[in-house]
Amino acid sequence: MFDDRSPIYRQIASRIKADVLSGALKGDDQVMSTTQYATFYRINPATAAKAFQQLVDEGVLYKKRGIGMFVSPDARDTLRAERRESFFAKVVEPMITEARAIGIPLQDVVRRIEEHEQR
């Protein structure tokens, strides 16, 4: 389930975010407790707790005292907005820089993208 490329708590947080983005987890859905998560995936409860705290700090999850953790109602919209910004910063802007460097007019880039949209 987990790989060695990044800390387990980040992988847990990423998977929960992916579930929110895909719609598998919706706003106000309850998520497993840190104890359930730790037991199910056989990890240290402190690791699961660290992931959940990160998600609370980021506004993806919220706590209901004595009940558990839930997905924030606007988590999906917030995560999508963050991903869009990341997409433009990591994909579009370097693409524009490369296109300019090799002499491709931006109109040609836009036309090519529009051709993909029509397929």
Side-chain angles (χ1 to χ4, degrees), residues 1 3 11 13-14 23 31 47 61 64 67 76-77 83 85 96 118:
M1 159 114 198
D3 60 47
Q11 294 178 55
S14 292
V31 297
T47 301
L61 300 180
K64 281 188 177 177
I67 299 175
R76 187 168 191 235
D77 291 338
R83 290 278 179 99
E85 285 304 314
I96 291 169
Q118 295 170 359

Side-chain angles (χ1 to χ4, degrees), residues 44-109:
N44 187 320
T47 301
K50 188 172 182 178
F52 281 56
Q53 186 58 52
Q54 177 185 324
L55 293 169
V56 168
D57 293 345
E58 293 176 2
V60 175
L61 300 180
Y62 65 96
K63 298 175 187 176
K64 281 188 177 177
R65 187 176 293 240
I67 299 175
M69 297 280 214
F70 295 83
V71 176
S72 297
D74 60 346
R76 187 168 191 235
D77 291 338
T78 301
L79 290 171
R80 291 182 82 182
E82 290 173 5
R83 290 278 179 99
R84 283 188 205 112
E85 285 304 314
S86 176
F87 172 78
F88 282 108
K90 293 180 179 175
V91 176
V92 175
E93 290 175 17
M95 178 183 67
I96 291 169
T97 300
E98 180 66 13
R100 286 182 174 148
I102 61 176
I104 299 174
L106 290 182
Q107 299 98 324
D108 290 357
V109 174

Side-chain angles (χ1 to χ4, degrees), residues 10-26:
R10 285 189 183 168
Q11 294 178 55
I12 294 168
S14 292
R15 288 184 184 170
I16 291 172
K17 287 178 181 179
D19 285 345
V20 171
L21 281 168
S22 74
L25 286 173
K26 297 178 177 33

Side-chain angles (χ1 to χ4, degrees), residues 32-48:
M32 284 193 285
S33 71
T34 55
T35 303
Q36 289 171 322
Y37 211 91
T39 302
F40 186 81
Y41 291 108
R42 298 179 183 200
I43 59 173
N44 187 320
T47 301

